[in-house]
Amino acid sequence: MGSLYFFFFFFLRIELILAADTITPTRFIRDGETLVSSPEIFELGFFSPGNSMKRYLGIWYKKSPETVVWVANRNNPIIDRQGVLTISNYGNLVLLNKTKSIIWSSSTSTKVENPVAQLLDSGNLVLKDNFSTGSESYLWQSFDYPSDTLLPGMKLGWDLKTGVERYLTSWKSPDDPSYGDFTYRLDIHVWPQIFIYNGSTKMTRIGPWNGVFFGGVPVSPNYNFEITFVHDKNEIYYRYEFFNNPVIMLTKITNLGFLWSLIWKERGSIWDVVISAPKDLCAYYGKCGANGVCSIDKAPICECLQGFIPESQQNQTSPTRCVRSSPFDCGSGDRFIKLTGLKLPDLVETSLNDTMSLQECESKCLKNCSCKAYTNSIVSGGGRGCLMWSGDLIDIRKPVVEMSGQDLYMRVRASEQDTVNTHYLECAFLLMENSFVLVLVIGLLSLSNFATSSIAADAITPNGSITHPETIISAHERFELGFFSPKDDTNYYLGIWYREVSPKAVVWVAKRPSNLKLFC
């Protein structure tokens, strides 16, 4: 008799454990009942959002029930509390109303003998054969049909075999989870980029992907998560995952079009916004128009690229389009200038060769008069691949310190190369071997496109000057004075450095305000 009770309670316990996170053809949930993932991270059930009385089937964080991460019947709510989620005779997950009409279905085409639906600890609701294991056996999963939230482990992108695109769509309002105006999706035209769209209009662009990161992405604090990007013949997608860290994080597109990355703060039981996009005016798509650069730390924030002027002289502070200052004639003197650390232009009128080196890319672009700019498509491993722009350069920005950027090589005429405003300084230099002395005589230092070799003199007089890339060298060739451009900076400075140290060990800079005040 004791053995009989033991087995009875043993199988009852198994039944209760299964009921916590699973549904079978004989086990369903009604409105008011829920499924809970095994470590009690996620919960599935019926809810009414905000001030609405309508009922929806959704998944939310158990610690934060108002944080709904997935909704089944977004556009088809139930008007009472008599909804039921079950598995049909054909093996589909189905949501029924009080008249047993199907409100929503997983719509799988494969019939299975022992179907079971399970809420995983990742927040993924899966339908599978009860005797199968592994994600390959899933007949359907909610991760393939995102709502407005991207959870760790979810894919954003394309299944090239089936043509299915996984992307986020905002709620219409906090009270209405039906499809809103904003989407967050991976664009794979030419090369992968991410967009926030308002309808069909580009609102914010992130990218392109360069093998390491998406350009223009704010750098978040280190929460021990990593981005995985997959690009092969079967799939193109990205996802983020945590490793050895119990942090709860999600990314969502709000009903107002903002992309938020949120971290759960256990101590205060609140969500903390760690990344928000668009973050500033420069994050809005094409803020400075075609061939313009947006720099949020400048006033005005918009300026035209070198060789371009505002199309409308009446609107120079925020040009809708920058045009060539004079007709561009493709010639043998054309060269490329390096624009450092930019968010690259949108891939409009852009071609890709994914095997070329940067040098081959430059050569091909130079031979093609329609090629306006180029860069590597992949920066890792020394760089490879060739992106070439033949049209207007749109949506360029100079990232702030906490954002990622990449170098762009832009075509210019010979007359436009390395030109910088002339600087007049009431100083001349005598470069001594053991010290740096400024002699108060009148001299002219200019930076132009003249290309001559270094001069042997170690002094400048009122009748002399140096021009970039000329330098003056101390008598025993220990120190050198000239113009230089620091790493990740497009500006030029007058400085002194050790000749035999590479890269340049700069020991003095003239244009720093403290030095000018002290010596001049």
Side-chain angles (χ1 to χ4, degrees):
M1 190 71 172
S3 299
L4 182 61
Y5 278 117
F6 171 80
F7 284 111
F8 172 77
F9 285 112
F10 175 77
F11 285 112
L12 179 60
R13 178 171 175 78
I14 291 177
E15 183 77 6
L16 290 173
I17 293 173
L18 286 173
D21 65 356
T22 60
I23 296 174
T24 69
T26 60
R27 189 182 302 121
F28 52 85
I29 63 168
R30 305 178 186 89
D31 194 327
E33 302 171 339
T34 63
L35 295 184
V36 180
S37 62
S38 55
E40 299 192 352
I41 300 296
F42 291 96
E43 191 168 17
L44 178 147
F46 294 87
F47 73 101
S48 293
N51 296 318
S52 174
M53 299 299 292
K54 297 175 181 178
R55 302 296 283 173
Y56 298 86
L57 178 74
I59 299 172
W60 56 83
Y61 280 100
K62 188 168 176 57
K63 293 181 178 180
S64 179
E66 71 281 0
T67 308
V68 178
V69 299
W70 182 80
V71 184
N73 55 322
R74 296 185 66 172
N75 287 348
N76 198 11
I78 297 174
I79 60 174
D80 54 37
R81 291 178 176 263
Q82 298 188 48
V84 174
L85 179 66
T86 187
I87 295 179
S88 71
N89 294 332
Y90 295 97
N92 270 309
L93 264 175
V94 291
L95 177 61
L96 307 176
N97 63 11
K98 67 178 179 180
T99 65
K100 306 305 179 184
S101 297
I102 296 177
I103 298 299
W104 170 87
S105 170
S106 59
S107 300
T108 58
S109 58
T110 303
K111 184 172 173 54
V112 62
E113 293 296 327
N114 299 285
V116 61
Q118 184 178 16
L119 179 62
L120 305 181
D121 190 42
S122 61
N124 193 8
L125 177 64
V126 302
L127 181 65
K128 61 180 182 175
D129 188 305
N130 195 30
F131 299 109
S132 300
T133 59
S135 59
E136 297 81 9
S137 65
Y138 295 163
L139 304 173
W140 176 91
Q141 57 180 332
S142 61
F143 271 19
D144 282 341
Y145 304 91
S147 293
D148 68 334
T149 302
L150 191 71
L151 296 173
M154 289 180 69
K155 298 176 182 179
L156 189 86
W158 294 79
D159 185 323
L160 301 179
K161 294 185 297 182
T162 63
V164 170
E165 180 190 4
R166 306 178 187 94
Y167 62 95
L168 306 185
T169 306
S170 68
W171 286 23
K172 185 164 288 186
S173 75
D175 302 326
D176 184 357
S178 63
Y179 296 137
D181 296 328
F182 301 96
T183 55
Y184 176 71
R185 59 207 309 174
L186 182 70
D187 182 277
I188 57 175
H189 170 71
V190 182
W191 200 240
Q193 303 184 101
I194 299 175
F195 286 94
I196 296 176
Y197 289 93
N198 183 352
S200 60
T201 302
K202 296 174 180 178
M203 180 177 162
T204 298
R205 181 179 64 94
I206 302 170
W209 174 256
N210 65 11
V212 179
F213 53 76
F214 284 98
V217 175
V219 178
S220 64
N222 180 16
Y223 288 102
N224 290 329
F225 69 92
E226 61 182 354
I227 289 179
T228 299
F229 188 84
V230 174
H231 188 173
D232 58 32
K233 64 179 182 179
N234 297 321
E235 293 182 292
I236 304 177
Y237 68 85
Y238 97 92
R239 70 181 179 215
Y240 65 96
E241 293 181 288
F242 288 100
F243 48 96
N244 299 325
N245 197 320
V247 170
I248 295 176
M249 181 179 182
L250 62 84
T251 297
K252 70 178 295 179
I253 182 76
T254 73
N255 65 292
L256 298 178
F258 289 96
L259 186 75
W260 287 350
S261 289
L262 306 170
I263 294 288
W264 178 254
K265 296 293 187 180
E266 194 70 49
R267 178 173 296 180
S269 295
I270 58 172
W271 291 97
D272 184 25
V273 179
V274 293
I275 297 177
S276 179
K279 184 179 181 180
D280 52 48
L281 289 176
C282 286
Y284 286 91
Y285 183 83
K287 175 63 180 176
C288 293
N291 308 307
V293 179
C294 195
S295 303
I296 199 63
D297 55 351
K298 291 186 177 181
I301 62 174
C302 292
E303 60 183 344
C304 291
L305 291 167
Q306 184 171 324
F308 291 83
I309 59 173
E311 186 174 41
S312 171
Q313 295 295 334
Q314 287 74 38
N315 190 28
Q316 295 187 48
T317 59
S318 184
T320 57
R321 178 182 172 86
C322 296
V323 296
R324 288 283 182 184
S325 55
S326 59
F328 189 83
D329 297 322
C330 184
S332 58
D334 293 351
R335 297 291 295 277
F336 295 96
I337 58 172
K338 180 180 178 180
L339 306 179
T340 304
L342 296 176
K343 173 187 172 184
L344 295 179
D346 191 6
L347 304 182
V348 178
E349 296 184 69
T350 308
S351 61
L352 168 70
N353 182 306
D354 58 6
T355 60
M356 281 186 174
S357 67
L358 191 64
Q359 292 74 24
E360 292 170 329
C361 189
E362 177 184 12
S363 178
K364 184 172 182 178
C365 188
L366 191 61
K367 294 174 183 177
N368 183 353
C369 287
S370 65
C371 182
K372 305 295 194 305
Y374 73 91
T375 194
N376 274 143
S377 56
I378 298 293
V379 299
S380 56
R384 62 176 173 82
C386 175
L387 283 170
M388 294 189 296
W389 284 261
S390 58
D392 287 329
L393 305 178
I394 302 171
D395 195 39
I396 305 174
R397 76 167 293 174
K398 183 73 175 177
V400 291
V401 173
E402 66 271 18
M403 287 187 177
S404 52
Q406 188 176 336
D407 296 340
L408 178 71
Y409 300 85
M410 189 182 77
R411 191 183 203 120
V412 296
R413 302 180 184 89
S415 59
E416 296 170 345
Q417 297 169 37
D418 298 329
T419 56
V420 178
N421 292 334
T422 300
H423 298 275
Y424 291 87
L425 302 177
E426 292 186 345
C427 298
F429 297 86
L430 177 62
L431 188 58
M432 306 295 288
E433 191 60 35
N434 297 313
S435 62
F436 319 117
V437 179
L438 286 170
V439 180
L440 294 178
V441 295
I442 305 300
L444 169 65
L445 301 177
S446 65
L447 182 61
S448 71
N449 63 328
F450 298 144
T452 57
S453 59
S454 298
I455 57 179
D458 60 357
I460 303 174
T461 68
N463 296 322
S465 65
I466 65 169
T467 59
H468 181 67
E470 293 177 335
T471 60
I472 62 173
I473 302 170
S474 62
H476 293 95
E477 300 188 353
R478 185 179 179 189
F479 293 101
E480 189 169 12
L481 178 146
F483 296 95
F484 73 98
S485 181
K487 182 180 179 182
D488 299 329
D489 192 341
T490 56
N491 296 314
Y492 279 84
Y493 301 86
L494 180 71
I496 299 173
W497 56 86
Y498 283 99
R499 288 203 73 214
E500 297 181 356
V501 178
S502 180
K504 283 186 175 67
V506 178
V507 296
W508 182 82
V509 183
K511 289 177 67 176
R512 293 177 64 185
S514 60
N515 283 322
L516 283 175
K517 182 177 179 180
L518 177 63
F519 295 112
C520 296

